[in-house]
Amino acid sequence: MEHQLTIYNTLTRRKELFKPLHAPHVGMYVCGPTVYGDPHLGHARPAITFDILFRYLKHLGYKVRYVRNITDVGHLEHDADEGEDKIAKKARLEQLEPMEVAQYYANRYHEAMDALGVLRPGIEPQASGHIIEQIELVKEILKNGYAYESRGSVYFDVAKYNRDHHYGKLSGRNLDDVLNTTRELDGQDEKRNPADFALWKNAQPEHIMRWPSPWGNGFPGWHCECTAMGRKYLGSHFDIHGGGMDLIFPHHECEIAQSVASQGDDMVHYWMHNNMLTVNGQKMGKAYNNFITLEQLFTGTHPLLEQAYTPMTIRFFTLQAHYRSTVDFGNEALKAAERGLARLMDAVSGMEKITPAPASTVDVKALREKCYDAMNDDLNTPIVIAHLFDGAKMINNILAGNDTVTAADLEELKALFRLFCFDILGLKAENASNAAREEAFGRAVDMLLEERAKAKANKDWAASDKIRNGLTALGFEIKDGKEGTEWKLNK
């Protein structure tokens, strides 16, 4: 292929040229949400990150099978193995069926992701719909000697696995580190080792989400679902597994152990993880009173927010940082992103007002290659955005008469923005309300500007300035250029 993507592989801790196992097909699995509450800022980062990867791989010509799971069982309150199921608890408190809770919040998640411009995956399996596959996975691990049954539960034998393989190769931990950081919890007397994790949990009488198994009625451990569903839909070896870096340990570490213990080798070729986000410099969490849902962002109803921010502002802000760096949400940064996005959208609309010239004084092809170079360098979206701002400056200089562009180069410039701004970065204009206002006032403003043009022609500078100042006071921005006067209505 003409352009080749280099990505950072969390497993090897280095950038690698992406070589899919089954080119031109790519198998990609991303850990999706646990659907027991409204989607929040923490859901936005991985969704947008892997949406960019999905879009760009498709653009490069790959046929991508994109799987993103929904966790609707097995994610417990205290840790991966102990406590009440989060969805079951929500169902108990709200007097609903667990699947009612899961469906409601899955719908809320989809609505928020649609607003953010996140493309839906090709397959979106739910853990509760793949109990049989998870039971079969546990059987395989037991058969190979890396798990044991205890009081109706089945646990992964981490110490035995570590003797034969390397438990901790993704997170960089050794088993002693894991043992030293493992919390003592009720029920761990069932385990041979505190670091052992549940593959199948025996359901207590009060546990309302349960299925029959060879070990009794119970439910799968949280880590099983992705291994079982990834194998079902992408095969025993697939290209990319992604998620937030908070999943590296224990979730993804356990996934590697499960796949090796069941089939003899790792299922995944490339592991990719996005970094975390903070709010005004603090980790986001309910304990810090800075837990912000996406609906609160879109409506401006959280106490920390000075205004509402559109979904595209959130998306643009997120893409201004590399996916492996942290993102800090704050009002000033979000307002700056809002202004930056408006500048890009203004540049896009400004291209329609350009009159081609016989020769170009701008290099559009070089700009395109710079954007490709940035995308191929581990999806470096902030550099792509910087180049698009260079393109916006190019457009403004052409409109001001400082540069010229041929018809062919103008079409190339339009295509560049369509590709990188809309198709790959997934941005879109959100100024429908402004457009309606501009249309309503448009004729009146045009009439006033005609009067201003007559005043200028007659060298009646006082009248010209009066009209301009009056429009500015009403919120209109007036720009005089080589090809005439332009205006727009500011927010």
Side-chain angles (χ1 to χ4, degrees), residues 186-375:
D186 294 339
Q188 284 198 340
D189 57 341
E190 296 182 355
K191 301 181 181 183
R192 295 176 183 173
N193 187 313
D196 295 348
F197 58 89
L199 299 171
W200 184 266
K201 285 289 290 181
N202 177 48
Q204 299 302 312
E206 68 275 9
H207 199 98
I208 58 178
M209 300 179 75
R210 58 174 65 212
W211 290 265
S213 80
W215 317 285
N217 287 342
F219 55 93
W222 172 39
H223 308 307
C224 285
E225 62 181 272
C226 294
T227 305
M229 294 189 294
R231 180 183 297 168
K232 178 179 178 68
Y233 295 109
L234 298 174
S236 58
H237 299 93
F238 58 89
D239 301 293
I240 298 171
H241 195 322
M245 67 179 297
D246 58 321
L247 297 177
I248 292 176
F249 187 87
H251 187 48
H252 289 166
E253 196 72 74
C254 293
E255 280 196 59
I256 291 177
Q258 288 171 164
S259 66
V260 174
S262 62
Q263 67 182 39
D265 58 1
D266 191 1
M267 295 168 59
V268 179
H269 193 48
Y270 298 92
W271 287 88
M272 295 180 67
H273 295 88
N274 63 273
N275 211 322
M276 296 295 97
L277 58 86
T278 55
V279 179
N280 295 322
Q282 268 191 326
K283 179 181 178 181
M284 189 180 76
K286 292 181 180 178
Y288 301 108
N289 199 32
N290 64 357
F291 186 85
I292 304 176
T293 68
L294 290 173
E295 183 178 17
Q296 287 173 324
L297 267 173
F298 300 159
T299 58
T301 53
H302 193 279
L304 291 178
L305 300 175
E306 295 177 3
Q307 63 176 67
Y309 298 98
T310 68
M312 281 301 107
T313 297
I314 303 303
R315 184 180 180 100
F316 183 72
F317 175 77
T318 302
L319 296 176
Q320 284 184 303
H322 191 271
Y323 76 89
R324 287 193 288 111
S325 65
T326 57
V327 170
D328 185 52
F329 278 78
N331 283 285
E332 293 310 311
L334 287 167
K335 289 176 185 176
E338 186 177 56
R339 293 190 295 269
L341 179 60
R343 280 176 55 200
L344 281 186
M345 294 301 109
D346 286 346
V348 170
S349 60
M351 284 187 285
E352 300 303 322
K353 302 171 184 177
I354 293 175
T355 301
S360 289
T361 60
V362 295
D363 191 346
V364 181
K365 288 183 173 59
L367 184 61
R368 173 182 282 265
E369 287 307 308
K370 288 178 182 178
C371 290
Y372 269 119
D373 288 344
M375 284 301 302

Side-chain angles (χ1 to χ4, degrees), residues 98-149:
M99 290 302 103
E100 283 185 281
V101 172
Q103 188 64 58
Y104 174 80
Y105 288 112
N107 291 343
R108 299 275 288 175
Y109 174 80
H110 290 140
E111 290 165 2
M113 295 306 110
D114 289 347
L116 289 169
V118 173
L119 300 177
R120 297 204 180 187
I123 303 173
E124 194 171 47
Q126 294 178 232
S128 63
H130 295 77
I131 301 298
I132 293 173
E133 289 83 357
Q134 293 176 79
I135 290 174
E136 290 302 312
L137 173 67
V138 177
K139 286 181 180 179
E140 291 172 8
I141 297 173
L142 274 167
K143 179 182 176 182
N144 292 337
Y146 291 109
Y148 56 89
E149 185 180 353

